[in-house]
Amino acid sequence: MTVIIKNGRVIDPSNNLNEPKDLLINKGKIHSLGSPGKLNIANGEQVSIIDAKNCVVCPGLLDMHVHFREPGFEYKETIESGCNSAAAGGFTSVAVMPNTKPVNDTRSVTEHILSLAKKEGIVNLYAIAAITKKLQGESLSEMSDLKDAGAIAFSDDGRPVMNNELMRRAFEYSKMFNLPLIQHSEVLDLTEGGCMNEGMVSTELGLKGMPSEAEDIMVYRDIALLEKTGGRLHVAHISSKNSVELVRQAKAKGLSVTCEVAPHHFTLTDEAVRGYDTNTKMSPPLRTIKDVEAIKEGLSDGTIDIIATDHAPHDIVDKQVEYQNACFGIVGLETALPLSLKLVEEKVLSIYDVIKKLTSTPAEIFNLNAGSLSQGNDADILIFNPTHEYSIDISKFHSKSKNSPFDGWEVKGKVIHTIVRGKTVYSATED
Ligand SMILES: [Zn+2]
């Protein structure tokens, strides 16, 4: 089966490409790119055409930080519904965090997740395995076994690895395997019982705060350990000004540190908590305008490598409770693209750089054969209209959960088609 995507602007940072091109897909692979109207098709060949007029054609997006809740919490999300949500958001590859039940800390769980994804998932799924057994922070998981089973990185996300000696040994394995450790940076004794950023707003609202120093101290410790042991550190969902600066300095020293930011952390501040909407409760929490400005600076100077959603679906029973008691996190896959494109309007990033932070850079960091329109690659493609305005409607989410603070937001940038291995897995209906 041959497909031609015509009349679009192709943006493929892995090939330094940003120009009008037609793209030909054959047998699920990228066959060729050519000037508009100039692609050669063999005589008599059956071709289906996708018109990408006014659209950007780019590699399908990568999200290296999602929680799909299966096994264990299928009422919030399954691998199948999570993959559908990804496709609706323009993502063709996702990496799932290990805080399922059972925890992904053994080969059999990794293999179970990967085989479910093969059967039921419409996008590519990668597994991140636990650093410590049961995420308890007491002893290391069988990292070598987990790597053999296909884990692409290690993380106790949702929790930090508090024990210094354990983290030091984990870095030694990280070095041996050349796989990154993804840290959820939070010193737990400083945040215990907290439910939002500690500051003026938390004081006014009478809610217990989580100081940004809890993040900074952990980032500092990890960088110090990394400097000693070698290995690779990837800081998950960076949210504080000082943490951004610590990563900047570590990079300047040549250390192998990368980091990600979630769209909510460059879109909202703790002011959003004033209405006590539990959809503004996440970990790390929404911080101050100073932090948001530092994050934007970090995005623009390259300190912050990638955008990842921290997609954290929760059922209504987990969120329709008092603020203090609500679960942390929001669904992210179906709002990430338009929220990231706001950075273009704000002149923080070019559209090319937004796409880079969602395609080729995550692929490089995690060493994945994805995020590129190079010839011969799987035809994993996103077609989106960057100027199409619409309002976010959580009732239309493909995720099983609807916990988002962005319901009703007017945004720009609509996913039109998501294609995986040449097959359309999502198309926008006319609305
Ligand atoms: Zn986390």
Side-chain angles (χ1 to χ4, degrees):
M1 184 62 179
T2 302
V3 181
I4 293 186
I5 301 172
K6 282 176 74 164
N7 304 322
R9 166 169 287 270
V10 171
I11 301 182
D12 177 14
S14 76
N15 286 304
N16 296 316
L17 207 62
N18 181 4
E19 57 194 275
K21 288 261 184 211
D22 289 351
L23 190 155
L24 197 146
I25 302 167
N26 187 253
K27 297 192 178 105
K29 305 276 184 194
I30 307 283
H31 179 275
S32 48
L33 286 127
S35 303
K38 294 278 194 280
L39 279 177
N40 284 326
I41 300 145
N43 264 349
E45 195 171 350
Q46 286 282 351
V47 176
S48 79
I49 288 176
I50 297 175
D51 188 3
K53 196 169 171 233
N54 302 324
C55 288
V56 168
V57 178
C58 67
L61 308 181
L62 276 68
D63 187 353
M64 303 317 296
H65 191 145
V66 303
H67 299 273
F68 280 179
R69 311 303 190 196
E70 185 175 11
F73 306 96
E74 287 83 355
Y75 68 100
K76 299 181 191 224
E77 195 83 285
T78 59
I79 285 174
E80 186 182 15
S81 67
C83 287
N84 290 339
S85 179
F91 291 86
T92 57
S93 295
V94 294
V96 295
M97 283 296 176
N99 61 339
T100 45
K101 197 175 169 186
V103 167
N104 182 12
D105 62 356
T106 48
R107 170 188 282 271
S108 61
V109 181
T110 307
E111 286 172 349
H112 173 67
I113 290 170
L114 293 176
S115 84
L116 263 179
K118 252 199 183 129
K119 255 192 290 176
E120 295 171 7
I122 56 171
V123 303
N124 307 304
L125 184 142
Y126 301 95
I128 296 164
I131 297 174
T132 70
K133 286 183 183 148
K134 296 196 163 78
L135 308 177
Q136 284 174 343
E138 287 164 7
S139 56
L140 291 181
S141 62
E142 298 293 337
M143 292 169 84
S144 164
D145 233 23
L146 288 159
K147 178 187 184 256
D148 287 346
I152 59 152
F154 299 95
S155 180
D156 275 6
D157 186 58
R159 303 176 58 81
V161 177
M162 286 290 290
N163 185 301
N164 303 321
E165 206 276 325
L166 211 58
M167 193 64 188
R168 175 182 171 176
R169 279 199 284 132
F171 271 126
E172 282 161 1
Y173 282 107
S174 154
K175 185 181 178 188
M176 200 182 340
F177 302 144
N178 192 27
L179 293 183
L181 300 183
I182 306 171
Q183 182 74 284
H184 171 112
S185 311
E186 175 182 355
V187 173
L188 293 173
D189 34 299
L190 283 171
T191 57
E192 207 186 329
C195 60
M196 69 172 293
N197 182 53
E198 181 180 299
M200 237 180 42
V201 182
S202 66
T203 307
E204 284 176 36
L205 296 180
L207 292 173
K208 184 147 193 300
M210 305 159 83
S212 52
E213 289 75 14
E215 179 173 327
D216 307 337
I217 292 168
M218 187 59 87
V219 172
Y220 183 86
R221 181 207 71 176
D222 285 345
I223 290 170
L225 288 175
L226 177 76
E227 195 165 4
K228 183 163 187 66
T229 56
R232 293 168 58 193
L233 170 65
H234 181 76
V235 179
H237 42 49
I238 202 162
S239 74
S240 82
K241 180 175 190 271
N242 288 339
S243 294
V244 174
E245 184 52 31
L246 286 167
V247 171
R248 184 178 287 122
Q249 289 168 9
K251 285 187 167 185
K253 280 192 196 168
L255 297 177
S256 188
V257 183
T258 52
C259 72
E260 71 192 26
V261 65
H264 45 267
H265 285 129
F266 56 71
T267 308
L268 296 171
T269 67
D270 57 359
E271 291 291 329
V273 182
R274 287 192 187 276
Y276 295 96
D277 175 4
T278 55
N279 291 322
T280 62
K281 181 175 175 182
M282 49 276 274
S283 174
L286 298 172
R287 303 219 189 258
T288 68
I289 188 68
K290 281 209 170 72
D291 298 296
V292 171
E293 281 164 2
I295 284 169
K296 288 181 179 171
E297 211 180 301
L299 277 163
S300 129
D301 73 8
T303 301
I304 300 177
D305 302 86
I306 64 173
I307 298 170
T309 70
D310 193 7
H311 179 83
H314 287 297
D315 188 66
I316 214 153
V317 298
D318 305 314
K319 282 292 196 180
Q320 276 196 355
V321 291
E322 278 185 38
Y323 203 89
Q324 298 90 296
N325 300 326
C327 284
F328 290 101
I330 62 168
V331 295
L333 284 163
E334 294 173 68
T335 50
L337 179 66
L339 295 177
S340 300
L341 289 171
K342 276 181 182 291
L343 297 169
V344 180
E345 275 190 10
E346 294 170 2
K347 302 206 176 349
V348 174
L349 292 177
S350 64
I351 192 165
Y352 180 93
D353 284 331
V354 167
I355 291 171
K356 191 171 177 191
K357 286 181 194 295
L358 285 161
T359 59
S360 57
T361 308
E364 255 167 54
I365 294 172
F366 292 91
N367 196 23
L368 307 176
N369 185 18
S372 164
L373 300 179
S374 291
Q375 243 182 43
N377 275 22
D378 280 345
D380 295 348
I381 297 167
L382 164 63
I383 302 172
F384 71 94
N385 184 331
T387 57
H388 184 127
E389 291 181 41
Y390 69 103
S391 70
I392 293 171
D393 179 355
I394 55 166
S395 71
K396 290 187 179 156
F397 279 178
H398 292 244
S399 169
K400 267 199 178 179
S401 296
K402 315 294 171 196
N403 51 309
S404 167
F406 301 112
D407 191 32
W409 276 45
E410 296 294 329
V411 292
K412 257 191 218 170
K414 192 164 176 66
V415 174
I416 306 296
H417 298 289
T418 306
I419 297 169
V420 176
R421 290 184 287 280
K423 192 175 147 221
T424 299
V425 292
Y426 171 82
S427 279
T429 45
E430 294 299 319
D431 56 17

